[in-house]
Amino acid sequence: MFLSVVIPVFNMEKYIDRCLESLIRQTDNDFEVILVDDGSIDKSYETAVSYLENSYINHKVIKKNNQGQSIARNIGMQSAKGEYILFLDSDDIVSKNLVSECKQAVLEKPDILMFDYKRVDEDGTTRENKISLSSDDNVAGCEIIKKYKENQFNMWTSSAIYRREFLRRKKIIFCPEAHAAEDLGFQFKALLSTDRVKVINYVLSYYCQRKESLTNNINIEKNMTVIDAFEDVLKFIEYKEMDVSLEKPIIGEFIPEHIMYQILGYLNKDNAEEVLDILDDKSVHRYLMKAKMRTPRYGKSMVKWMKIAAWSPEKFIRKYLDVVKGEN
């Protein structure tokens, strides 16, 4: 079997049929679907089972208690039988040519195949990425991360497939403790582990953005596990005895950026005290203090907010609510 599509599901009864329909329409059926229901309390499980049982798709449905996407994906990965694995969220969709194009592209067996994607708004509007991918038959994963850091490369959970044996041999899994940025942490570990990445400039998946999605989750405690996700990468680098210079952009750019992304998206006058508690956390403070001053990852304005938040959390909250959100 060529491809295993691992889909974690949690309360997605309104969207799972659209996701599965995009798989049913594949022009090449050399794939399986492994759907992991992560303790849904709606009819996601029943909807998915009904849809899959009335299709030709090879499939396996696993039902478990709610533990988060990372553990659900890891369970799905353990059950996979395909040569390659795609991780697809249950509210996203793929091109009908995904399987056939990927199969044609991996004849030389790269460890990772990366492709382009588009964003889709709730109203169905499709948005192009600012950067178009350039095809490359053989590139080192660390070079992909470097380009991503410089805002010269797009990547997303479902814009890559991974050779299953490569993941097993390198012991690459999703960080179980992470509920945010767990996908990026996984990608970083995979990319750091190989110099056999192929890139094609075909759009093969669609990132469907919703206001209530995990990316916009208002559970700030879970969202702050972005730190766990990236610290897991740091531990991976140390365990694998990789070049320690790889740690610098993670510590000085990616972690501070993602901390602030979560805080700025959450802060309002009603939860100011909660945000203050987060900023008082020693780990959060330490990473904000280490934020790199000049980087393409974020501009001068972001650096300013990082430094104010690190040095004077009360002043940061007051100024941000007043200047940006006009809530004071």
Side-chain angles (χ1 to χ4, degrees), residues 3 121 215 228 297 302:
L3 184 67
D121 292 333
T215 307
D228 297 88
R297 289 303 308 167
M302 178 66 85

Side-chain angles (χ1 to χ4, degrees), residues 24-290:
I24 289 173
R25 292 177 179 177
Q26 289 301 300
T27 57
D28 187 328
N29 63 5
D30 190 10
F31 70 98
E32 66 174 351
V33 168
I34 300 176
L35 190 143
V36 184
D37 184 90
D38 189 36
S40 295
I41 57 175
D42 65 359
K43 294 184 178 180
S44 296
Y45 176 81
E46 292 81 3
T47 301
V49 168
S50 175
Y51 219 88
L52 288 169
E53 288 185 346
N54 287 287
S55 75
Y56 66 86
I57 297 178
N58 291 315
H59 65 273
K60 181 176 183 179
V61 181
I62 302 169
K63 192 171 179 61
K64 57 179 286 297
N65 294 330
N66 180 244
Q67 294 174 293
Q69 283 200 116
S70 289
I71 293 177
R73 287 173 177 149
N74 289 338
I75 289 174
M77 185 163 40
Q78 291 171 359
S79 298
K81 297 179 180 178
E83 182 181 5
Y84 283 84
I85 298 178
L86 168 71
F87 299 99
L88 180 65
D89 285 348
S90 53
D91 54 348
D92 297 321
I93 58 177
V94 296
S95 162
K96 66 179 182 180
N97 298 317
L98 169 84
V99 177
S100 59
E101 293 288 0
C102 286
K103 184 187 286 188
Q104 183 64 31
V106 298
L107 296 178
E108 296 182 358
K109 309 302 180 186
D111 291 326
I112 304 173
L113 173 69
M114 307 191 80
F115 43 85
D116 212 344
Y117 68 95
K118 290 184 179 180
R119 299 173 186 270
V120 182
D121 292 333
E122 281 192 287
D123 62 3
T125 302
T126 302
R127 290 189 283 135
E128 302 281 347
N129 284 315
K130 294 180 180 179
I131 306 164
S132 296
L133 299 188
S134 298
S135 296
D136 196 324
D137 285 339
N138 193 25
V139 59
C142 60
E143 289 300 312
I144 297 290
I145 293 177
K146 182 179 179 181
K147 289 182 179 181
Y148 179 75
K149 182 180 80 72
E150 301 291 326
N151 287 327
Q152 297 174 359
F153 193 91
N154 294 315
M155 61 183 189
W156 163 59
T157 313
S158 303
S159 65
I161 62 172
Y162 304 86
R163 196 160 60 88
R164 180 165 60 91
E165 175 56 24
F166 158 71
L167 296 177
R168 186 200 64 79
R169 179 165 41 86
K170 296 295 184 177
K171 299 180 180 179
I172 299 168
I173 64 171
F174 289 87
C175 175
E177 295 79 22
H179 297 271
E182 76 289 342
D183 48 354
L184 194 55
F186 178 91
Q187 288 175 309
F188 276 22
K189 289 189 291 185
L191 288 168
L192 290 171
S193 299
T194 182
D195 58 3
R196 300 187 67 249
V197 181
K198 182 172 182 177
V199 181
I200 56 176
N201 63 356
Y202 301 141
V203 174
L204 296 179
S205 58
Y206 295 86
Y207 181 12
C208 301
Q209 299 184 300
R210 301 177 295 104
K211 290 181 179 179
E212 71 268 28
S213 70
L214 284 176
T215 307
N216 300 298
N217 195 333
I218 60 172
N219 187 329
I220 190 63
E221 289 187 8
K222 282 190 174 181
N223 285 359
M224 290 307 294
T225 60
V226 293
I227 296 175
D228 297 88
F230 285 111
E231 287 186 340
D232 180 59
V233 180
L234 296 175
K235 292 174 185 175
F236 185 83
I237 291 172
E238 181 180 2
Y239 174 73
K240 296 288 185 177
E241 298 182 343
M242 296 177 173
D243 183 353
V244 294
S245 66
L246 298 170
E247 299 176 353
K248 291 182 179 180
I250 295 173
I251 294 171
E253 298 175 66
F254 287 110
I255 295 180
E257 175 193 20
H258 279 75
I259 288 174
M260 289 307 294
Y261 172 78
Q262 299 298 340
I263 289 174
L264 296 180
Y266 181 70
L267 177 59
N268 60 53
K269 64 181 181 180
D270 296 323
N271 58 35
E273 288 298 321
E274 186 180 358
V275 172
L276 184 61
D277 288 340
I278 290 169
L279 291 172
D280 284 337
D281 180 87
K282 291 182 179 179
S283 181
V284 170
H285 175 77
R286 182 176 70 252
Y287 284 120
L288 291 180
M289 290 294 291
K290 291 183 178 181

